[in-house]
Amino acid sequence: MNATSLDDEADGVTASRERFQSKARQQTVGVTLPTNLKEHLSSLAELEDTTFAEVSRRLTIFGFEDFVDRSLYSSPTALFDLLTSELHRWQDSDSEQVMLRIDPGRAARIRSAAKEYEKSVSELAALCMAHGLVMQDLLVSLEQKVSNCKGAAIRLLLPKLELQSFATPLISSVLAGNVRAPKTLLRRLASVFEAPESVLSTFFRRSFDRRLVPAFKAENGKPELAKTAISWSVAVKSLNLPAEQAKTLLDLGV
């Protein structure tokens, strides 16, 4: 056996070990789902050329994180009324148990939340999975709405946000996910785009994560991309606006 073959074999063993360790790090949670919902998620997995396990895990995590965010400002009754109504749309069918594989840390958080709200782990996971699906659909709709406001169209958005033209570069950066919107601005954007603030935050975060490396012509190597979005105050100050205009924008972050 030549050196190349040995290297390839070693790489294969390492990859297999990494896959095994990755699987070992996940925990299995039994979840009872309406058959209609299970079949819908299976169809999504086929469309995305992935597995049911991946789709169900992603949606559960998405739904659970939004559930946690909403629990900070919504009453338990209102929150579970919402989640129950989202799951109920799928319940005109039989039910099936599926195995949800999820990382130990998040599995522990789901179990803790289920205990806190006197729900079974299976029930909370099913609610979060259905909620994650609703959130994903909202993201698709939101992406189109935000896209329609980019470029020259942003001038029509500014009055709705109670802002003037000098805020254009900032709002453009917020829509691209490069600048973190302060709470007041996020609330206005949520009203304009008719989307929950938590979904907007997720959308902007994903936009930042998907950003492309900018084109450049440099002799000393590529520029480093920021690992997190720029804060609102830093972005405002970087524009060197007249004091009154800068104050108007900075006040949004107070």
Side-chain angles (χ1 to χ4, degrees):
M1 185 178 294
N2 59 38
T4 300
S5 298
L6 286 171
D7 289 341
D8 290 343
E9 183 177 346
D11 289 343
V13 170
T14 300
S16 297
R17 186 182 298 115
E18 289 176 348
R19 286 194 295 271
F20 176 78
Q21 291 174 342
S22 178
K23 289 181 180 179
R25 284 196 294 269
Q26 294 180 339
Q27 292 185 1
T28 300
V29 178
V31 182
T32 301
L33 287 182
T35 300
N36 287 343
L37 177 55
K38 178 180 179 293
E39 292 176 347
H40 182 71
L41 298 185
S42 295
S43 298
L44 282 180
E46 186 175 348
L47 286 173
E48 296 176 9
D49 193 26
T50 187
T51 63
F52 171 83
E54 175 57 32
V55 169
S56 60
R57 177 168 49 251
R58 184 184 75 230
L59 293 179
T60 301
I61 291 172
F62 190 10
F64 178 69
E65 295 301 340
D66 188 69
F67 162 79
V68 172
D69 288 345
R70 289 172 184 257
S71 69
L72 300 177
Y73 57 85
S74 296
S75 71
T77 299
L79 185 52
F80 279 101
D81 281 349
L82 171 66
L83 268 62
T84 300
S85 68
E86 293 171 346
L87 181 61
H88 183 72
R89 61 176 287 207
W90 302 99
Q91 288 182 328
D92 292 335
S93 66
D94 296 329
S95 60
E96 298 181 39
Q97 188 173 62
V98 301
M99 295 296 106
L100 173 67
R101 294 186 61 80
I102 200 163
D103 65 274
R106 196 168 273 108
R109 291 174 61 206
I110 291 176
R111 290 192 178 95
S112 177
K115 183 177 181 180
E116 177 182 353
Y117 292 103
E118 300 181 341
K119 306 288 182 183
S120 70
V121 175
S122 172
E123 182 181 6
L124 181 57
L127 288 169
C128 289
M129 202 178 298
H131 184 57
L133 180 59
V134 172
M135 294 296 98
Q136 177 173 276
D137 291 342
L138 281 174
L139 278 177
V140 173
S141 173
L142 181 59
E143 184 169 12
Q144 183 59 55
K145 291 179 180 179
V146 172
S147 179
N148 291 339
C149 290
K150 290 183 177 180
I154 201 169
R155 69 179 185 277
L156 301 176
L157 175 63
L158 292 174
K160 298 176 183 178
L161 299 176
E162 303 173 34
L163 295 172
Q164 299 180 39
S165 59
F166 58 80
T168 298
L170 278 175
I171 300 305
S172 179
S173 292
V174 166
L175 296 184
N178 296 324
V179 171
R180 293 194 299 274
K183 194 68 176 177
T184 299
L185 177 58
L186 191 64
R187 190 178 305 117
R188 294 178 189 178
L189 286 166
S191 177
V192 171
F193 291 125
E194 300 178 324
E197 291 178 31
S198 57
V199 176
L200 265 178
S201 296
T202 298
F203 175 80
F204 292 145
R205 185 168 59 251
R206 289 186 175 188
S207 296
F208 178 81
D209 291 341
R210 293 198 306 262
R211 71 202 189 286
L212 298 177
V213 176
F216 66 95
K217 294 181 180 178
E219 297 179 358
N220 298 322
K222 298 181 180 179
E224 292 186 5
L225 289 179
K227 295 181 180 179
T228 60
I230 300 171
S231 71
W232 178 256
S233 60
V234 169
V236 171
K237 292 173 183 176
S238 71
L239 294 178
N240 296 317
L241 294 168
E244 186 175 347
Q245 294 180 358
K247 183 178 184 305
T248 297
L249 296 175
L250 289 172
D251 284 348
L252 293 176
V254 176

